[in-house]
């Protein structure tokens, strides 16, 4: 660190507004039956007679056409016949999806007591994608829990921007408080705003430019440690690199050193616990003194203790470090107040959590796609080789890698890590034609949004060239891999830079080959990660002949 260079412009694609027709559902009459009645009706069985369904046509805009011959390889994604229930619904014989008044409809398939738990457990990602076919907003239940899923990009945008003050972060982030109850991703209201302002300088584009050398130096040993022909678990490899990068940028540490091991293990345990708890029907279960809960608590304590030692060390030797922790130690709010150690501690654990797994899974998916698209791989080599032949990758060379950037954009679209992001209403909210009362748990999914055939032609096709400036771009609000509004990812520029550097450095040395016969499936956990992704590194000729850089 310490070489914070100016001038690295890290911009994201500017979506040109080009509207695709988006068939909005009509909510129907505002004088229909109450929500309870609707929810009772939502179970399987013949539709009740009466005008309700006719009054409330729900968007049934297409067959599930999202699959394509060039799809992702995920069985959940492949084109398939709609289940009988969905066909019945489209034909009007099934009224389990029925909007009335301004209450969002309940998705079909709700079973007594357990609600939609079965499809959520069986294949969360396929389920959340399917929900988009039922309208701009739809409700699902898991046991006694009701979750309102916002599907339409317009309403998502409204929720995340103009109406953002009416929401807190909700269920998932409550569980992530294990990382620290006031960390940026989970803080609310004025404390969030204050903290965000204080942290922003550490993530400013010009500051990120200074992290390029750190990123490159951290990644290099991993890439050189690979052995020709020895299979790699891609998610683990990418995670090691991105965790290494975040730890070096945060507090100049490297994963080989203690307490890095403790930190990495603890982050992993706390993450897994958070997603399990968010989808658990009854919150009381998380207070039981069972092994899993004890383990999560111990991991959170170990994490905080390791990070506390790092902060003490930085305070004791302030001149020895030039990293994000150093910046946080001196950050001031508008009154000149600085952050106390316990708040810095929460921010550091929050950044460790938010900043490594996300980028790691994006990179794992990117190499998966390159492995099965030799033509894209060739184009990448053609771009990267001349740039890296000049010497190590530096910040001024990044703009010369537009194809690499398109690869990252397309991976962020097709494999958006944010498959489930929560919010909770703290006041009544009107979204489109629907009203949500205070206290409603709400979900949005970037993963499902980015695979919507109404927004992206041939959505399951991995096509980096859809991001060429001359091609029609998705509608405003339809590409939000980093969220939107005041809670938008603070690490966006960091992530773009890191992903570009790792892609270019890996590609300049290695081809990563898929293991024949293996299938890779997206799994919705805390992020959208590959079920199992092993690939075989094959040294590129120039790397073998000593031209490696
Ligand atoms: C490809 C990589 C990444 C993706 C896809 C991603 C995605 C997101 C998304 C969707 C949000 C918003 C969540 C919401 O609206 O509730 C978010 C927030 C956040 N991200 Fe990222 N992120 C990535 C990388 C990073 C990195 C590298 C860092 C830091 C080093 C980071 C730090 C944060 C923080 C602190 C927040 C909370 C911001 C706030 O609430 O003010 N992220 N991220």
């Amino acid at each position: 660190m310490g070489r914070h260079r100016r001038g690295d412009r890290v911009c994201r694609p500017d979506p040109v507004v080009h509207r695709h027709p988006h068939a909005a559902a009509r909510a129907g009459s505002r004088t229909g039956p109450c929500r309870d009645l609707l929810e009772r009706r939502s179970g399987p069985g013949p539709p009740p007679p009466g005008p309700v369904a006719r009054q409330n046509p729900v968007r049934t805009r297409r067959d599930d056409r999202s699959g394509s011959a060039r799809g992702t390889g995920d069985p959940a994604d492949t084109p398939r016949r709609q289940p009988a229930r969905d066909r019945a619904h489209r034909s009007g014989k099934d009224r389990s999806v029925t909007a009335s008044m301004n209450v969002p409809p309940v998705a079909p398939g709700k079973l007594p007591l357990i609600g939609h738990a079965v499809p959520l457990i069986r294949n969360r990602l396929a389920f959340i994608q399917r929900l988009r076919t039922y309208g701009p907003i739809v409700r699902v239940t898991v046991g006694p829990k009701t979750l309102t899923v916002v599907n339409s990009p317009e309403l998502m945008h409204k929720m995340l921007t103009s109406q953002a003050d009416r929401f807190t972060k909700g269920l998932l982030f409550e569980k992530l408080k294990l990382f620290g109850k006031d960390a940026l991703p989970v803080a609310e209201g004025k404390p969030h705003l204050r903290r965000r302002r204080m942290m922003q300088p550490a993530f400013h584009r010009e500051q990120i430019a200074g992290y390029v050398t750190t990123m490159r130096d951290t990644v290099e040993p991993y890439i050189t440690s690979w052995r020709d022909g020895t299979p790699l678990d891609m998610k683990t490899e990418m995670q090691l690199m991105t965790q290494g990068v975040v730890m070096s940028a945060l507090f100049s540490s490297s994963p080989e050193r203690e307490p890095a091991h403790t930190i990495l293990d603890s982050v992993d345990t706390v993450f897994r616990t958070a997603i399990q708890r968010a989808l658990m029907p009854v919150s009381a279960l998380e207070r039981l003194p069972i092994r899993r809960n004890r383990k999560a608590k111990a991991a959170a304590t170990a994490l905080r203790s390791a990070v506390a030692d790092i902060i003490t060390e930085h305070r004791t030797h302030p001149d020895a470090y030039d990293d994000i922790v150093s910046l946080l130690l001196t950050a001031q709010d508008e009154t000149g107040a600085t952050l106390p150690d316990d708040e810095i501690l929460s921010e550091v654990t929050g950044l460790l959590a938010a900043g490594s797994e996300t980028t790691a899974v994006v990179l794992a998916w990117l190499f998966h796609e390159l492995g099965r698209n030799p033509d894209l791989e060739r184009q990448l080599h053609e771009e990267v080789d001349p740039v890296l032949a000049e010497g190590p990758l530096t910040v001024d060379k990044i703009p010369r890698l537009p194809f690499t950037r398109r690869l990252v954009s397309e991976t962020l679209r097709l494999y958006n890590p944010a498959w489930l992001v929560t919010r909770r209403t703290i006041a009544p909210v009107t979204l489109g034609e629907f009203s949500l009362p205070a206290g409603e748990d709400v979900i949005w999914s970037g993963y499902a949004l980015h695979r919507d055939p109404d927004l992206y032609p041939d959505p399951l096709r991995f096509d980096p060239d859809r991001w060429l400036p001359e091609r029609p771009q998705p509608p405003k609000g339809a590409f939000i891999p980093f969220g939107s509004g005041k809670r938008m990812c603070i690490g966006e520029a960091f992530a773009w830079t890191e992903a570009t550097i790792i892609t270019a450095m890996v590609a300049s040395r290695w081809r990563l080959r898929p293991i024949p016969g293996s299938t890779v499936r997206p799994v919705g956990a805390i992020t959208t990660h590959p079920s199992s992704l092993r690939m075989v590194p094959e040294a590129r000729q120039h790397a073998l002949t000593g031209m490696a850089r």
Side-chain angles (χ1 to χ4, degrees):
M1 294 287 301
R3 292 168 294 273
H4 294 170
R5 303 174 51 163
R6 295 183 165 254
D8 181 23
R9 289 187 55 234
V10 188
C11 53
R12 64 198 181 107
D14 287 329
V16 177
V17 178
H18 169 91
R19 293 216 59 79
H20 291 243
H22 187 81
R26 298 200 187 290
S29 161
R30 286 169 186 258
T31 56
C34 69
R35 188 201 303 180
D36 282 349
L37 178 56
L38 279 170
E39 294 194 351
R40 259 178 281 145
R41 277 184 189 165
S42 69
V52 176
R54 281 197 306 279
Q55 280 176 355
N56 300 291
V58 173
R59 180 179 63 171
T60 56
R61 62 186 180 219
R62 59 180 188 264
D63 290 341
D64 191 0
R65 280 177 281 128
S66 50
S68 90
R70 290 159 296 182
T72 60
D74 174 6
D77 290 338
T78 47
R80 60 191 168 78
R81 287 174 63 80
Q82 281 292 85
R85 179 154 198 91
D86 293 356
R87 290 198 303 275
H89 163 60
R90 283 198 310 281
S91 69
K93 288 182 186 151
D94 175 1
R95 288 180 211 163
S96 58
V97 177
T98 305
S100 180
M101 301 169 67
N102 45 8
V103 174
V106 176
K110 181 182 166 188
L111 296 175
L113 296 176
I114 58 171
H116 299 90
V118 173
L120 255 176
I121 291 167
R122 204 179 276 157
N123 192 339
R124 296 165 182 172
L125 295 176
F127 181 60
I128 203 139
Q129 278 174 264
R130 199 158 61 239
L131 291 177
R132 299 188 63 74
T133 62
Y134 303 137
I137 302 190
V138 67
R139 281 210 167 104
V140 297
T141 63
V142 190
K145 233 178 228 176
T146 298
L147 305 167
T148 298
V149 185
V150 177
N151 290 323
S152 117
E154 292 85 1
L155 300 186
M156 267 184 207
H157 183 70
K158 205 172 162 190
M159 171 172 79
L160 299 176
T161 57
S162 60
Q163 300 267 24
D165 287 342
R166 294 178 163 253
F167 293 87
T168 57
K169 299 272 312 222
L171 214 52
L172 178 61
F173 297 91
E174 277 162 17
K175 311 302 170 189
L176 284 172
K177 284 186 181 172
L178 271 168
F179 279 115
K181 62 179 175 5
D182 43 12
L184 196 66
V186 299
E188 304 285 3
K190 283 197 180 129
H192 168 261
L193 203 63
R194 171 178 177 263
R195 204 74 74 71
R196 175 114 191 176
R197 285 196 185 123
M198 292 174 86
M199 289 176 66
Q200 200 75 56
F203 292 93
H204 195 273
R205 288 184 198 294
E206 286 164 4
Q207 191 69 33
I208 303 298
Y211 304 151
V212 167
T213 311
T214 307
M215 290 179 182
R216 205 186 57 213
D217 294 349
T218 308
V219 166
E220 178 77 16
Y222 289 106
I223 297 178
T224 44
S225 74
W226 293 349
R227 295 281 158 260
D228 203 13
T230 306
L232 300 168
D233 179 321
M234 289 304 289
K235 192 191 157 201
T236 306
E237 290 301 316
M238 295 302 129
Q239 223 162 7
L240 288 171
M241 284 190 213
T242 57
Q243 286 167 337
V245 166
V246 171
M247 286 201 291
S248 335
L250 272 174
F251 41 78
S252 314
S253 180
S254 75
E256 296 85 47
R257 286 191 229 139
E258 282 295 345
H261 290 301
T262 317
I263 292 175
L264 297 182
D265 290 348
S266 310
V267 167
D268 210 43
T269 308
V270 174
F271 251 158
R272 269 187 282 117
T273 310
I275 194 79
Q276 280 159 358
R277 289 183 178 179
L279 295 173
M280 226 181 241
V282 189
S283 305
L285 294 178
E286 60 197 63
R287 287 190 291 276
L288 292 179
I290 53 176
R291 191 170 165 270
R292 185 201 282 169
N293 292 339
R294 283 201 308 269
K295 208 173 149 196
K297 201 167 166 200
T301 309
L303 178 61
R304 290 181 75 79
S305 151
V307 175
D309 290 346
I310 289 167
I311 294 170
T312 306
E313 161 66 16
H314 275 65
R315 282 237 187 260
T316 315
H317 303 104
D319 297 333
Y321 299 97
D322 184 7
D323 47 32
I324 295 178
V325 167
S326 320
L327 290 173
L328 294 181
L329 287 174
T330 52
Q332 294 181 348
D333 68 9
E334 60 284 359
T335 68
T338 54
L339 290 168
D341 280 6
D342 62 329
E343 291 187 19
I344 296 179
L345 196 152
S346 291
E347 291 313 344
V348 173
T349 54
L351 288 168
L352 278 167
S356 45
E357 161 105 7
T358 39
T359 320
V361 295
V362 167
L363 285 162
W365 285 119
L366 187 152
F367 288 111
H368 166 64
E369 285 294 345
L370 283 181
R372 56 199 208 133
N373 289 291
D375 187 47
L376 298 181
E377 189 185 54
R378 183 188 49 73
Q379 287 183 64
L380 177 63
H381 292 161
E382 281 170 10
E383 175 171 278
V384 159
D385 288 352
V387 176
L388 271 80
E390 292 170 10
L393 195 52
T394 49
V395 68
D396 49 306
K397 292 178 186 160
I398 291 178
R400 290 166 61 196
L401 303 172
F403 180 73
T404 313
R405 189 176 177 82
R406 289 205 297 281
L407 279 173
V408 176
S409 301
E410 182 62 348
T411 315
L412 282 166
R413 182 193 70 80
L414 190 57
Y415 300 104
N416 187 215
W419 77 273
L420 178 134
V421 190
T422 58
R423 290 289 187 271
R424 181 171 298 134
T425 55
I426 46 170
V429 179
T430 303
L431 286 179
E433 295 170 75
F434 299 102
S435 292
L436 309 181
E440 188 97 344
D441 281 311
V442 181
I443 286 176
W444 63 274
S445 169
Y447 178 86
L449 174 76
H450 294 171
R451 290 172 166 233
D452 188 328
D454 281 354
L455 304 170
Y456 294 91
D458 203 358
L460 297 192
R461 179 162 175 237
F462 186 83
D463 176 16
D465 285 349
R466 69 171 84 231
W467 299 105
L468 281 168
E470 60 271 26
R471 294 267 290 267
Q473 298 298 297
K476 189 165 182 274
F479 184 62
I480 49 167
F482 295 95
S484 194
K486 64 179 186 175
R487 307 306 303 240
M488 190 170 172
C489 180
I490 202 171
E492 179 186 357
F494 189 104
W496 277 110
T497 309
E498 181 186 11
T500 307
I501 288 174
I502 295 181
T503 304
M505 286 179 69
V506 169
S508 84
R509 299 218 181 170
W510 299 99
R511 285 199 165 88
L512 289 156
R513 294 271 151 262
I515 303 222
S518 60
T519 38
V520 183
R521 203 169 43 82
V523 176
I526 196 79
T527 58
T528 317
H529 68 84
S531 51
S532 154
L533 177 56
R534 286 166 65 74
M535 298 187 84
V536 182
E538 196 180 287
R540 294 188 59 209
Q541 204 51 42
H542 65 87
L544 286 174
T545 53
M547 285 172 61
R549 36 262 169 188

